[in-house]
Amino acid sequence: MAIIVQKFGGSSVADAAKVKNVASRVIDTYQEGNSVVVVVSAQGDTTDDLIDKAHEINENPSKREMDMLLASGEQISIVLLAMAIEDRGFPVISLTGWQAGFVTNSNSGNARIKKIDTERILSELDKKKIVIVAGFQGLDKYDDITTLGRGGSDTSAVAIAAAIHADKCEIYTDVDGVYTADPRIVPSAKKLDAITYDEMLDLASLGANVLHNRSVEMAKKYSVKLEVKSSFEKVDGTIVKEAVSVEKMLIRGVARDNDVARIAIVGLEDKPGIAFRVFSLLAKKGINVDVILQSIGREGKKDISFTVTKNHMQEAIKLLEAEKETLCYDEITHRDDISKVSIVGAGMVNNPGVAAKMFEALYDAGINIHMISTSETKISVLINVNNAERAVQAIHDKFLI
Ligand code: ADP
Ligand code: ASP
Ligand code: MG
């Protein structure tokens, strides 16, 4: 007998037939004699629809009220799944995040799990019940409902698996594993049998939303055995683990992230301390800066461009405009019609020419690069958003076909 955590994403529970399909998969695992904890997301596009609903009423709702609203999506799916399992005659209980013991910090909209008080989950498992837990939500120390950031149910599942020392954590979704690129963009993408935590973390952080990046971080930290599988087909998925037998792959995958905006501060004074002032201003407000580019100084002036997520663009511009006098720049420009396309792979360490090969693929496709950022195991380029899918395809073909 094993303890198994299974997570089913929004598309896997999108309608009644799909909820019943999930119930069958869960019951199969239970009937094999396992203790089963199931984490579910909100059905289909529910979370997006709730966000739209909120904005019809208030364009700028407080994060606290937004979390109250968004958490309701998952509460519907846990109940529907529990009812489907009940209907099949199996013992089951649905639990909200807080009933399941999720304690988070107070960073509404992007809260971090601090701990899980596992007594309730464990006592229900002791009673031989299938336990269904709402993903994506918890409670902070003020008893306010929090959510874990978009895609956060994966993290809920891994956190439970770590906390109750589950034997494995299975992430069921609408694709049958992790591919060398999003199979919806690149039909020739290949399914990976296995991928390391580090490579998966890079892919997820760079836009491969098949796993929430923090779920991978947590799986690595607590050595959770993780598998990404299809909700609909019974085939082997992709195992995410510490080490993968070395295959001759220069890169493991290509990712795309459209949630990028670029801000350029033009004509800053070219003197020490300017970059420090710009970025500490943003850091103090919790604005995460990604790719940074500083031009070579000319006539005592320089430009600094950087990227932030789209939802931080206006706030960042406002902060910089408020400091125009002290920062002494000519102007600020911005655009959010851009995308970040990246390649990831431990195989590129000590392999010169990987970047050149990536840029050649883009050149052959006639795609202009705005910014570049590299590390030992990843290379990212910023390009126009309308070129992004072509870029992913071209880069994928160059390295992985
Ligand atoms: P869920 O609702 O189950 O959490 P998501 O939409 O969050 O599902 O994640 C699954 C989606 O991730 C797939 O439909 C696919 O389009 C996308 N995806 C992006 N990159 C990859 C990749 N490298 N491999 C597999 N799927 C990917
Ligand atoms: N329902 C949430 C979202 O759409 C959480 C999740 O799906 O993991 O982001
Ligand atoms: Mg997801």
Side-chain angles (χ1 to χ4, degrees), residues 7 41-42 47 74 136 149-154:
K7 179 257 170 180
S41 302
T47 309
E74 270 67 13
F136 181 54
R150 297 306 307 270
S153 296
D154 298 333

Side-chain angles (χ1 to χ4, degrees), residues 4 67 108 130 132 136 183 198 266 281 290 300 318 324 342 383:
I4 300 180
D67 274 2
S108 309
I130 297 170
I132 316 284
F136 181 54
D198 287 333
V266 182
L281 191 67
D290 186 22
K318 262 194 209 142
K324 186 161 195 245
S342 311
I383 58 175

Side-chain angles (χ1 to χ4, degrees), residues 288-340:
N288 216 5
V289 171
D290 186 22
V291 184
I292 301 176
L293 187 75
Q294 177 173 309
S295 69
I296 293 174
R298 52 185 150 65
E299 294 162 11
K301 298 261 185 171
K302 66 183 175 191
D303 308 332
I304 292 181
S305 338
F306 58 90
T307 63
V308 293
T309 53
K310 285 195 165 88
N311 64 339
H312 278 144
M313 184 176 82
Q314 290 305 342
E315 194 186 347
I317 293 171
K318 262 194 209 142
L319 281 170
L320 293 167
E321 280 175 351
E323 292 295 318
K324 186 161 195 245
E325 300 278 291
T326 49
L327 289 171
C328 272
Y329 56 81
D330 294 337
E331 61 165 335
I332 291 181
T333 65
H334 62 89
R335 56 186 296 183
D336 63 2
D337 57 344
I338 51 171
S339 176
K340 183 168 73 171

Side-chain angles (χ1 to χ4, degrees), residues 5-6 11-12 17 24 63 100 108 118 149 184 207 255 281 305 308 312 332-333 374:
V5 176
Q6 301 185 318
S11 46
S12 308
S24 293
K63 288 182 176 171
S108 309
T118 54
R184 291 183 204 289
L281 191 67
S305 338
V308 293
H312 278 144
I332 291 181
T333 65
T374 68

Side-chain angles (χ1 to χ4, degrees), residues 190-232:
K190 295 188 196 83
K191 187 164 98 182
L192 300 163
D193 296 332
I195 183 168
T196 65
Y197 290 124
D198 287 333
E199 287 174 321
M200 190 63 234
L201 184 57
D202 278 343
L203 276 180
S205 304
L206 292 168
N209 57 350
V210 60
L211 283 177
H212 191 227
N213 59 357
R214 273 198 263 129
S215 72
V216 186
E217 215 169 65
M218 197 176 291
K220 179 180 160 80
K221 186 166 169 195
Y222 296 102
S223 299
V224 173
K225 271 175 103 182
L226 200 59
E227 183 172 3
V228 178
K229 309 179 77 156
S230 164
S231 295
F232 309 112

Side-chain angles (χ1 to χ4, degrees), residues 54-108:
H55 289 154
E56 277 172 25
I57 306 257
N58 178 343
E59 271 179 30
N60 204 5
S62 66
K63 288 182 176 171
R64 193 255 177 207
E65 296 306 326
M66 199 62 163
D67 274 2
M68 284 289 273
L69 180 66
L70 296 192
S72 68
E74 270 67 13
Q75 287 186 59
I76 296 174
S77 26
I78 51 167
V79 179
L80 295 179
L81 181 57
M83 288 175 171
I85 293 172
E86 248 175 27
D87 191 47
R88 296 271 309 271
F90 290 87
V92 62
I93 185 163
S94 63
L95 300 174
T96 60
W98 40 102
Q99 288 175 315
F102 273 81
V103 180
T104 74
N105 67 12
S106 296
N107 189 12
S108 309

